Amino acid sequence: MSSAIPPHPHGPQVGAAALIRRPKLWLVPTVLSALVALVLSLLYMGGILSPSDNLHRLPVALVDEDQGPPPGQRESLGRRITDSVAAADASDTGVDWRRMDRAALQDALESGKVYGALVVPEDFTASVTALTTNRATARPRLDVLTNPGVGSLGSSMASQIAQTAAHRASLDIGERLAASATVPTARLLLADPVEVVVGVGHPIGRHSGLGLTAFYYTLLLVLGGFIGGNMISSGVDTALGYADSELGPWHTRHATVPVSRTQTLLLKMLMTAGISVLTTTLVMVATVAILGMDADHLPTLWLFSYCATVAVGLGVQAINAAFGGIGQLVSMFVFIALALPSSGATVPLEATPGFYRFLGVFEPMHQLSEGVRAILYFDARADAGLARGWIMIAVGVVAALLFGFAMTHYYDRRGLRRLTPQPE
């Protein structure tokens, strides 16, 4: 049953001019709006303003493949360069230079463990030595490899760091060579003798948004769980008579169905799990089938997407059940406001202030984006972030169930029924 409110109820009407002069009417929306605007501004802009100034142990590989030392010396130029690069940044915690061989480098690139690499080729010492003779056929080369799968900004930062280190090494080598040159022209040519070649260490597809599709796809999953959860919550409350329904000028109220808070939460969670099947499928149809986003491992991607959406949706239902009217605001901060700047999907967490690195340990979007990134770019490898994504989804689901039902059970035991006036 539903009843409609008459369009012209009897009795005197209060005008907006009279209501607007009531300070209490202004207090709550003014304070909440101001706090939300201030906190969102600090959160979003605070994480992206100066990534270079906030670098903290950005992982970059350092590979020495140089085969032999120059005549009369015990170590190769490659070993000298890598030692110099690592020593130069030893006191600076901004870069985490990780020494490894070629096989380990390839594995690190393919699992997203490093943002880029500086590689000394195997013929480096020989090509530098040839510069002082007439046998030189090409400039010595240092290779800088990028890893676009970890994100365009992170890969670009690692590339700039590696290129700076390579250029510094070139100037050091040039200074040594120029000192022994007898012809002024040779000194000029030898001043910066090494060519820095930038290449892609682990390529991704052309339709991968330069490494940003993982972030936007994850955002769709989180928004699907967040918006869907709130819509299901309000829709169920309206249908059961615990909230009014307004559509334009039409206002209706259904008869109240006697149901406990715990059973209402169970109903909302079951509906969330069911409706997420459709929303997850539509997200994949739109992004992969219609728009042509590069994506392999489609069954794994669908299953991970579904579980991620459900985890967020269950969290929204639990928070709404616990906090009532302000539940949407609380869940917005948990799943959107705090999650976006700490996701690490656009700006690497290693390039954000410590507060965001702390949030990234447990905030859902970081865990989910790493899982999606592993599926889209790194062959669905568990060690690329997929295993952690699954673990955190399971933790999130269990936490939502425990928190939500614990709160509703407590409210029910205390007799705090909905729509029943409670003594102040």
Side-chain angles (χ1 to χ4, degrees):
M1 292 179 59
S2 64
S3 58
I5 302 298
H8 300 290
H10 300 290
Q13 298 292 300
V14 180
L19 293 174
I20 203 170
R21 291 194 292 270
R22 295 184 180 181
K24 289 184 179 180
L25 196 64
W26 287 76
L27 182 61
V28 173
T30 300
V31 171
L32 288 180
S33 299
L35 285 176
V36 168
L38 175 63
V39 174
L40 287 182
S41 300
L42 293 174
L43 284 174
Y44 287 139
M45 299 305 293
I48 65 166
L49 285 181
S50 50
S52 298
D53 295 339
N54 292 304
L55 272 182
H56 180 74
R57 301 191 65 78
L58 187 76
V60 183
L62 190 58
V63 181
D64 176 20
E65 295 187 306
D66 201 357
Q67 290 297 312
Q73 299 190 29
R74 287 183 291 181
E75 66 175 6
S76 66
L77 289 177
R79 180 57 183 269
R80 186 183 302 170
I81 287 174
T82 52
D83 287 347
S84 175
V85 168
D89 295 322
S91 60
D92 180 13
T93 59
V95 185
D96 180 15
W97 289 106
R98 300 185 179 180
R99 294 177 180 267
M100 56 186 69
D101 58 22
R102 173 63 74 166
L105 169 64
Q106 200 59 40
D107 183 73
L109 290 170
E110 292 176 355
S111 61
K113 294 289 184 10
V114 294
Y115 285 84
L118 174 59
V119 180
V120 182
E122 59 183 16
D123 63 343
F124 185 75
T125 293
S127 60
V128 170
T129 304
L131 289 177
T132 60
T133 68
N134 295 326
R135 299 191 304 272
T137 59
R139 293 178 66 189
R141 189 185 84 250
L142 291 174
D143 295 329
V144 172
L145 301 181
T146 63
N147 194 5
V150 297
S152 55
L153 179 59
S155 180
S156 175
M157 293 179 70
S159 175
Q160 293 176 13
I161 290 169
Q163 289 183 63
T164 299
H167 183 61
R168 189 168 61 223
S170 176
L171 294 178
D172 181 62
I173 293 173
E175 184 179 349
R176 296 169 184 262
L177 294 176
S180 60
T182 57
V183 181
T185 306
R187 290 196 190 99
L188 181 62
L189 294 174
L190 294 176
D192 187 8
V194 179
E195 179 184 11
V196 180
V197 179
V198 180
V200 178
H202 178 68
I204 58 177
R206 290 182 60 250
H207 300 116
S208 297
L210 301 177
L212 290 176
T213 50
F215 166 70
Y216 284 102
Y217 187 88
T218 304
L219 182 59
L220 289 173
L221 300 181
V222 173
L223 288 176
F226 174 76
I227 297 174
N230 282 309
M231 292 179 67
I232 291 170
S233 182
S234 61
V236 168
D237 287 344
T238 299
L240 297 182
Y242 291 91
D244 294 351
S245 173
E246 287 191 76
L247 182 62
W250 295 280
H251 172 248
T252 59
R253 177 136 211 186
H254 297 279
T256 302
V257 178
V259 59
S260 67
R261 291 176 181 268
T262 300
Q263 290 300 308
T264 302
L265 177 60
L266 177 60
L267 172 63
K268 292 177 179 179
M269 286 188 166
L270 290 174
M271 292 181 64
T272 297
I275 293 175
S276 294
V277 174
L278 175 62
T279 58
T280 300
T281 302
L282 291 177
V283 167
M284 285 193 62
V285 168
T287 56
V288 179
I290 297 177
L291 297 177
M293 181 183 78
D294 287 324
D296 296 322
H297 309 282
L298 293 182
T300 302
L301 180 62
W302 185 91
L303 183 60
F304 186 87
S305 302
Y306 171 73
C307 293
T309 303
V310 170
V312 174
L314 296 185
V316 168
Q317 302 297 6
I319 291 173
N320 286 347
F323 293 95
I326 64 169
Q328 292 189 16
L329 183 61
V330 175
S331 60
M332 186 272 289
F333 269 92
V334 172
F335 294 108
I336 306 297
L338 294 175
L340 276 173
S342 63
S343 67
T346 51
V347 178
L349 283 180
E350 293 86 353
T352 59
F355 173 68
Y356 299 91
R357 295 195 294 272
F358 167 73
L359 290 178
V361 175
F362 56 86
E363 271 294 334
M365 193 171 292
H366 176 60
Q367 328 304 328
L368 298 182
S369 65
E370 287 214 329
V372 171
R373 187 181 71 180
I375 297 171
L376 293 182
Y377 308 145
F378 300 118
D379 200 29
R381 290 180 49 161
D383 60 345
L386 184 56
R388 179 178 174 82
W390 279 120
I391 291 172
M392 296 307 291
I393 284 176
V395 170
V397 169
V398 171
L401 293 175
L402 291 177
F403 176 68
F405 285 115
M407 295 302 296
T408 55
H409 181 66
Y410 171 75
Y411 294 154
D412 286 337
R413 286 191 60 185
R414 291 287 306 273
L416 301 174
R417 292 179 174 84
R418 306 178 75 186
L419 295 183
T420 301
Q422 302 298 327
E424 295 183 0

